[in-house]
Amino acid sequence: MKEYSFYQYMKTKVNENSSEGALAERIAKDTMFPKYTKDYNEVSDYLEKNPYDDISLTVFDDAFEQFKNWLEH
């Protein structure tokens, strides 16, 4: 299993023309984003308290599922 944080995974999505790519770009510019965790609840809590106006939490949920699958392969 890979040992990467959600932030590191999302960095691979920057410049991707998708909703996950848009989320990745917002995360990359967010200096307060929790960069060293792979815990769903920690990232979800952060995004609920510091929402990105143009990105829904559903996009995060989908991206986190892809992240979990990516870690396993």
Side-chain angles (χ1 to χ4, degrees), residues 22-44:
L23 175 60
E25 291 191 26
R26 294 299 299 268
I27 287 172
K29 293 177 183 176
D30 185 347
T31 59
M32 300 302 291
F33 188 85
K35 293 178 174 65
Y36 303 106
T37 187
K38 57 172 130 178
D39 180 70
Y40 173 88
N41 290 325
E42 185 175 350
V43 178
S44 179

Side-chain angles (χ1 to χ4, degrees), residues 3-4 11 17-20 26 33 42 45-47 51 61-65 67 71:
E3 288 297 321
Y4 293 98
K11 292 284 281 185
N17 190 18
S18 66
S19 52
E20 287 85 10
R26 294 299 299 268
F33 188 85
E42 185 175 350
D45 288 347
Y46 176 82
L47 292 174
D61 289 335
D62 293 343
F64 203 89
E65 278 300 313
F67 165 62
L71 284 178

Side-chain angles (χ1 to χ4, degrees), residues 1-10 12-13 20 37-41 43 59-73:
M1 189 155 112
K2 296 174 186 146
E3 288 297 321
Y4 293 98
S5 69
F6 180 69
Y7 175 82
Q8 290 169 306
Y9 168 73
M10 290 306 288
T12 70
K13 300 292 184 180
E20 287 85 10
T37 187
K38 57 172 130 178
D39 180 70
Y40 173 88
N41 290 325
V43 178
V59 174
F60 161 68
D61 289 335
D62 293 343
F64 203 89
E65 278 300 313
Q66 291 177 17
F67 165 62
K68 289 191 316 189
N69 290 333
W70 179 78
L71 284 178
E72 295 174 2
H73 297 96

